[in-house]
Amino acid sequence: MNTTAKFGGLGAVIALLLTEVPTQYDLYVALFIIACGAATAMIPPPHAGSKWAVAYQVMTTIGLNIGWAENHFKPGQSGVRVPVADKPAAKQAVASAGIPVLNKKGQPETPVS
């Protein structure tokens, strides 16, 4: 599914949910969304087996950390930052060490040849 469709669907759901919130509480809902976004930017993700992993994922969703705003670090995964020009070599090095390279959905990529 492409990013535009995700944002369109998410925008429709958020708009629908916000129409159900009484007007006097709009500010509090907006502050809650902002607080969730700020918290996920400051709190490192828990390890994959943690009882907090699901709560962290819910908090990132409420904080609208999706698409380009999505956190690079996720529960149970690490990120190795390399220059873009070195990305193919880094993937090859990781794969040749027997470590699976994960795609954006956390699934192993096809091996780099």
Side-chain angles (χ1 to χ4, degrees), residues 44-60:
H47 61 81
S50 172
K51 63 182 178 183
W52 295 103
V54 172
Y56 186 84
Q57 292 298 98
V58 169
M59 186 172 60
T60 60

Side-chain angles (χ1 to χ4, degrees), residues 56-109:
Y56 186 84
Q57 292 298 98
V58 169
M59 186 172 60
T60 60
T61 303
I62 292 171
L64 302 175
N65 290 338
I66 56 172
W68 285 97
E70 185 178 3
N71 293 347
H72 291 284
F73 299 108
K74 297 178 179 65
Q77 296 180 11
S78 68
V80 179
R81 301 185 67 84
V82 296
V84 173
D86 295 333
K87 184 177 178 180
K91 280 186 166 186
Q92 181 64 40
V94 169
S96 61
I99 302 169
V101 176
L102 305 178
N103 62 17
K104 291 180 181 181
K105 295 185 179 187
Q107 303 300 317
E109 288 185 357

Side-chain angles (χ1 to χ4, degrees), residues 16-67:
L16 178 64
L17 290 175
L18 289 178
T19 60
E20 299 301 317
V21 175
T23 306
Q24 68 265 28
Y25 300 117
D26 284 347
L27 175 65
Y28 301 112
V29 171
L31 288 175
F32 181 66
I33 292 169
I34 292 168
C36 286
T40 57
M42 293 183 288
I43 300 170
H47 61 81
S50 172
K51 63 182 178 183
W52 295 103
V54 172
Y56 186 84
Q57 292 298 98
V58 169
M59 186 172 60
T60 60
T61 303
I62 292 171
L64 302 175
N65 290 338
I66 56 172

